[in-house]
Short mmCIF file of all heavy atoms in Angstrom, two decimals:
data_model
loop_
_atom_site.label_atom_id
_atom_site.label_comp_id
_atom_site.label_asym_id
_atom_site.label_seq_id
_atom_site.Cartn_x
_atom_site.Cartn_y
_atom_site.Cartn_z
N MET Q 215 133.88 111.59 165.19
CA MET Q 215 134.59 110.32 165.40
C MET Q 215 133.68 109.15 165.05
O MET Q 215 132.55 109.09 165.52
CB MET Q 215 135.03 110.19 166.86
CG MET Q 215 136.08 111.20 167.26
SD MET Q 215 136.51 110.98 168.97
CE MET Q 215 137.58 112.39 169.23
N ALA Q 216 134.23 108.24 164.28
CA ALA Q 216 133.43 107.07 163.91
C ALA Q 216 133.80 105.85 164.75
O ALA Q 216 132.94 105.07 165.14
CB ALA Q 216 133.63 106.75 162.43
N CYS Q 217 135.11 105.67 165.02
CA CYS Q 217 135.51 104.45 165.75
C CYS Q 217 135.98 104.76 167.17
O CYS Q 217 135.77 103.98 168.08
CB CYS Q 217 136.58 103.68 164.97
SG CYS Q 217 138.19 104.47 164.99
N GLY Q 218 136.67 105.88 167.35
CA GLY Q 218 137.17 106.26 168.67
C GLY Q 218 138.44 105.54 169.11
O GLY Q 218 138.97 105.79 170.19
N GLY Q 220 141.23 104.89 166.76
CA GLY Q 220 142.37 105.09 165.87
C GLY Q 220 142.34 104.31 164.58
O GLY Q 220 143.31 104.31 163.83
N ALA Q 221 141.25 103.63 164.26
CA ALA Q 221 141.23 102.74 163.10
C ALA Q 221 140.69 103.39 161.82
O ALA Q 221 141.13 103.06 160.73
CB ALA Q 221 140.40 101.51 163.42
N CYS Q 222 139.76 104.32 161.93
CA CYS Q 222 139.07 104.80 160.71
C CYS Q 222 139.72 106.03 160.09
O CYS Q 222 139.43 106.37 158.96
CB CYS Q 222 137.60 105.09 161.03
SG CYS Q 222 137.34 106.58 162.01
N LEU Q 223 140.55 106.72 160.82
CA LEU Q 223 141.23 107.96 160.39
C LEU Q 223 140.23 109.07 160.03
O LEU Q 223 140.55 109.97 159.26
CB LEU Q 223 142.17 107.69 159.21
CG LEU Q 223 143.23 106.60 159.42
CD1 LEU Q 223 144.15 106.51 158.22
CD2 LEU Q 223 144.04 106.85 160.68
N GLY Q 224 139.06 108.99 160.61
CA GLY Q 224 138.04 110.00 160.33
C GLY Q 224 138.18 111.25 161.18
O GLY Q 224 137.44 112.21 161.00
N CYS Q 225 139.10 111.25 162.10
CA CYS Q 225 139.18 112.37 163.04
C CYS Q 225 140.54 113.08 162.96
O CYS Q 225 141.00 113.63 163.96
CB CYS Q 225 138.96 111.86 164.45
SG CYS Q 225 140.25 110.71 164.97
N CYS Q 241 141.19 111.01 168.28
CA CYS Q 241 140.68 110.06 169.28
C CYS Q 241 141.79 109.36 170.07
O CYS Q 241 141.55 108.92 171.19
CB CYS Q 241 139.78 109.03 168.61
SG CYS Q 241 140.62 107.98 167.42
FE1 LIG P 1 138.40 106.60 163.99
FE2 LIG P 1 139.69 108.55 165.27
S1 LIG P 1 137.58 108.17 165.22
S2 LIG P 1 140.52 107.10 163.93
#
Side-chain angles (χ1 to χ4, degrees):
M215 293 180 187
C217 73
C222 73
L223 305 184
C225 64
C241 64

